[in-house]
Amino acid sequence: MARPARAALARHLPILDWSRHYDRETLTSDLVAAVIVTIMLIPQSLAYALLAGLPPEMGLYASILPLVAYAIFGTSRALAVGPVAVVSLMTAAAIGNLGLQDPAEYAAAAITLAFLSGAILTVMGVLRLGFLANFLSHPVIAGFITASGILIAASQLKHILGIEAQGHTLVETAGSLLAHLGNTNPYTLAIGAAATGFLFWVRKGLRPFLARAGLGPRLAGVLAKAGPVAAVAVTTLLVWGFGLDTRGVAIVGEVPTGVPPLTVPMLDAELLGQLLVPALLISIIGFVESVSVAQTLAAKRRQRILPDQELVGLGTANLAAAFSGGYPVTGGFARSVVNFDAGAETPAAGAFTAVGILLAALLLTPLLYFLPKATLAATIIVAVLSLVDLSILRKAWGYSKVDFAAVAATILLTLGLGVEIGVSAGVVISVALHLYKTSRPHVAEVGRVPGTQHFRNILRHEVETHPSIVTLRVDESLYFANAAFLQDHVYDRVVGDDAIRHVVLMFSAVNAVDMSALESLEAINDRLASLGIKLHLSEVKGPVMDRLRRSHFLHDLTGRVFLSQHDAIAALAPDSGRGAAE
C-alpha cells in the first residue's frame, strides 16, 4: 500500500498508527491503568445508570463495547469513555419528558438516544464539523456543568434519605424533598451518610494515610482509587447480614449476568423526532467536555488529538452502546485523569478496561443483589460535587461583565428550569455572545511611534499623526453583523473635520470580508468620495485580497492598497516620514 494511502487510512483508523509501536512495556502500562480504571468504573457505571433512571446493568453494558469502539477510532491516548454524570442527567431529562411508564420502553428510548447521538457525532466527524464546538463559550459550559452538578447532587438526596422525591429543577427537587422529609428511613440515612463521608475522605485522605502506613506511592494510589469498591462491598454485606432490605433499605436487586445483549434502536418516526434535539444537545455537550479533557491530557505528553476524528470516535462509541444495550457515553474528566495518572499509553487501555467490565458483568453481578442504592447515590454525589465550581462566577465578574452575565444566566436557567433548557440557553448564549462581541469590533485610530515604522493607538501611546490622514486599524474580520458598525465609525470620525483628505483602513487583523462587509466598504468609498476624501487600504492579507479582486471594489476604490502602513504614510504625506527608522 502506498505511503499516502496508509497515512490516510491511519488518519481514519488511529489504531493502525499507535499499534505499530506497541511493545511489552506499553502493554504493561496499559494493563495497570486498565485495572485501576476498571475498579473505579464498576461502581460509577452502576451509579450513573441509576442517575439516568435505567437498570444498573445498562451502565455496565455502556462501559464495554463503546470503549472498544473508541480504542479503534479515537485519537486520544488517555481519554476514558463511558457513562458520565452530566450526560446521564441529560438522558434522564430527555426520556423523562416522553412520559413512558413501561421500564422496557424507557430502556429502549435510552438505546435510541445513544443511536441518534452516535449518528450525529459520526456524521459531524465525516463532514469535519468539529469546529462547531468552538461556538460554545467555555465559561458558559463551566456554568452549565456546575449547575448540573448541583442538580445531580440534589436529585440523589432522596436515595440517601430513603424517600420518594421528584423534580427536574432545583426548586421542584428541594420542595419534594422537604415534603417527604418526614418519611426518612433511618437505616438508609445511616448507610448513605456513612458512605458519603467515607468517599469524601477517600478522595483526599486515604492516599496520605496509606503512605504514612508505609505503602508505596503506586500501591497507595491504587487502593485509594478502590475506595468506592470498598464502600460497595461493605454496605452490601451490611444489608445482607442484617436483612436491612426488609427494613426499607432500597437495594439494586437482581442484575442480569452475561454479555451485553444485541439491541436494536426503535426507529419510530415520532420517537426519533422527540429525541432528535436532546440527542443533538447531548452530542454537543459530550463532545465539548470530551475534547477539552483529551486536549488537556494530550498537551501534557506533547501529543495531539484530531477533533474531527474524535467526533467519529465518540460517534462509534455511542453507536456501539446503542447496539449492545447501553445509553449515551462520552469521555469522563475524573476517569480520564485517573487513566492518565495510572500510566495509560494508548487507547488499548480502554479496551482492556472493557474486558474487566465484561468479566464483572459475567461473574460479579450476583454479588450486587443487596447493594444499597444509597451507596450508589453517595458515589454520584461525591463525583459530581467535584464538578461544581462556583468560583467561575467570581472569575467572570472580575474579567468580563458580559461573560459573567452569560455564566450566571446559564446557571440560573439550568437550576430553575431544568437541564434541557439550561443547555439550550447555554448554546444560544454562546452564539449570542460571539455575535455581540464581533458586532462591535475594536477600531483604533493609530499613529506612528516616533523614530519607528510601528503604528499604535493614539489613545494609548505618544504617536505622530498627520492632519489630512486618518488611519483606522480594524481589529476584527468583517461580516454582516459588524459591517454597519464600521460604516458608522468611519462617518463619525470624518464628519466635521475639514482637514481630512485620506482615510486608511489598516487591515492587519482582518482575516475575512463577506458580501455584506464588501457592500459596506463600497458605501464607505462612495460616501467619502462625495466628501472629497480618498479611501485607502493597507496590510491586506492575501486571502482577503484574493476575494476583493473578484469584485469591482478595487477598480472603484478612490485610493490605493498599500503593502504596509508605513508605505501608506510615506506616499500620502512624504514630509511626515522624516525621522522614521529605515
Side-chain angles (χ1 to χ4, degrees):
M1 186 182 295
R3 183 173 296 177
R6 286 201 303 268
L9 187 60
R11 186 168 63 250
H12 297 296
L13 288 172
I15 189 175
L16 298 179
D17 180 31
W18 57 260
S19 63
R20 289 187 294 113
H21 310 288
Y22 209 78
D23 54 25
R24 182 174 296 179
E25 183 178 349
T26 305
L27 172 64
T28 302
S29 298
D30 284 347
L31 284 173
V32 171
V35 169
I36 295 173
V37 174
T38 299
I39 292 172
M40 179 182 185
L41 188 53
I42 290 173
Q44 277 194 354
S45 298
L46 298 168
Y48 291 148
L50 176 71
L51 173 60
L54 298 166
E57 64 270 17
M58 289 188 70
L60 295 175
Y61 298 158
S63 305
I64 300 177
L65 283 187
L67 278 69
V68 177
Y70 182 82
I72 296 172
F73 294 99
T75 61
S76 172
R77 302 294 180 95
L79 190 70
V81 172
V84 299
V86 173
V87 170
S88 296
L89 176 65
M90 295 177 71
T91 299
I95 303 175
N97 290 336
L98 301 177
L100 301 175
Q101 300 299 323
D102 185 353
E105 291 183 355
Y106 194 96
I111 290 170
T112 304
L113 191 61
F115 172 77
L116 280 174
S117 180
I120 290 170
L121 288 165
T122 303
V123 170
M124 288 178 65
V126 171
L127 297 179
R128 299 187 177 184
L129 299 179
F131 69 91
L132 292 176
N134 297 332
F135 286 98
L136 276 175
S137 158
H138 279 277
V140 167
I141 291 296
F144 170 72
I145 291 176
T146 291
S148 296
I150 296 172
L151 268 182
I152 291 168
S155 72
Q156 296 307 296
L157 290 177
K158 63 182 180 183
H159 297 295
I160 299 292
L161 299 171
I163 60 178
E164 292 292 331
Q166 303 296 329
H168 296 294
T169 69
L170 185 62
V171 174
E172 291 176 356
T173 302
S176 185
L177 287 170
L178 289 173
H180 295 87
L181 196 59
N183 300 325
T184 299
N185 183 293
Y187 301 103
T188 302
L189 177 59
I191 291 173
T196 303
F198 172 74
L199 291 175
F200 270 120
W201 176 74
V202 162
R203 292 180 74 89
K204 299 291 185 181
L206 182 56
R207 188 168 184 171
F209 174 79
L210 294 174
R212 288 194 298 270
L215 273 68
R218 194 174 186 86
L219 180 58
V222 172
L223 292 177
K225 300 296 186 299
V229 176
V232 167
V234 170
T235 56
T236 301
L237 287 172
L238 284 174
V239 173
W240 171 74
F242 292 97
L244 297 181
D245 56 311
T246 62
R247 301 186 183 185
V249 175
I251 59 174
V252 168
E254 185 176 355
V255 179
T257 299
V259 299
L262 176 63
T263 53
V264 178
M266 295 173 62
L267 301 181
D268 177 73
E270 182 180 355
L271 178 63
L272 292 175
Q274 291 174 310
L275 292 178
L276 182 59
V277 172
L280 179 61
L281 296 175
I282 287 174
S283 300
I284 293 173
I285 295 298
F287 173 65
V288 171
E289 180 181 357
S290 179
V291 80
S292 298
V293 175
Q295 287 175 334
T296 300
L297 297 180
K300 293 183 177 181
R301 291 181 179 169
R302 296 190 177 183
Q303 297 168 348
R304 63 188 295 264
I305 66 166
L306 303 175
D308 291 327
Q309 186 60 34
E310 280 298 290
L311 283 167
V312 176
L314 293 173
T316 53
N318 277 279
L319 291 174
F323 290 105
S324 59
Y327 69 100
V329 298
T330 192
F333 174 74
R335 195 182 309 136
S336 297
V337 171
V338 168
N339 195 39
F340 179 87
D341 291 341
E345 295 287 343
T346 73
F352 296 143
T353 300
V355 174
I357 300 296
L358 177 62
L359 292 175
L362 288 171
L363 304 174
L364 300 181
T365 50
L367 303 178
L368 300 174
Y369 184 91
F370 289 100
L371 171 61
K373 290 184 177 181
T375 302
L376 295 181
T379 302
I380 294 172
I381 290 172
V382 174
V384 300
L385 286 183
S386 66
L387 302 175
V388 175
D389 179 19
L390 293 175
S391 68
I392 188 66
L393 290 168
R394 175 178 51 79
K395 295 174 184 175
W397 177 263
Y399 187 77
S400 167
K401 300 301 185 290
V402 174
D403 284 331
F404 170 81
V407 174
T410 302
I411 291 176
L412 292 175
L413 286 171
T414 303
L415 294 177
L417 299 177
V419 64
E420 285 195 343
I421 292 178
V423 69
S424 300
V427 173
V428 172
I429 290 171
S430 295
V431 175
L433 270 179
H434 171 75
L435 292 175
Y436 174 77
K437 291 176 180 178
T438 58
S439 68
R440 302 178 61 82
H442 181 255
V443 179
E445 184 171 346
V446 299
R448 180 165 50 201
V449 178
T452 74
Q453 296 182 11
H454 301 293
F455 290 78
R456 294 294 185 268
N457 192 329
I458 65 172
L459 301 178
R460 295 176 180 270
H461 303 272
E462 293 292 333
V463 294
E464 298 171 344
T465 60
H466 194 281
S468 67
I469 303 172
V470 171
T471 298
L472 300 175
R473 190 188 67 219
V474 183
D475 294 336
E476 183 65 68
S477 292
L478 297 176
Y479 73 119
F480 65 91
N482 61 24
F485 178 86
L486 179 62
Q487 275 185 259
D488 294 339
H489 192 93
V490 173
Y491 299 159
D492 290 343
R493 176 61 184 86
V494 300
V495 169
D497 194 336
D498 297 333
I500 298 174
R501 291 293 175 264
H502 304 279
V503 170
V504 184
L505 294 182
M506 189 173 173
F507 271 24
S508 53
V510 177
N511 296 314
V513 174
D514 74 357
M515 282 289 293
S516 297
L518 176 63
E519 292 175 359
S520 288
L521 290 176
E522 292 171 342
I524 292 171
N525 185 56
D526 293 341
R527 178 73 177 273
L528 293 180
S530 68
L531 298 174
I533 301 173
K534 291 185 177 182
L535 176 66
H536 309 269
L537 304 180
S538 72
E539 303 190 11
V540 183
K541 294 185 177 181
V544 176
M545 196 67 182
D546 291 340
R547 285 193 174 274
L548 293 179
R549 286 195 181 105
R550 298 174 194 169
S551 69
H552 293 286
F553 174 70
L554 295 179
H555 179 269
D556 298 332
L557 185 66
T558 56
R560 296 165 54 186
V561 178
F562 295 97
L563 184 63
S564 70
Q565 184 60 31
H566 173 71
D567 291 343
I569 297 301
L572 301 177
D575 59 311
S576 71
R578 295 170 186 168
E582 297 294 337

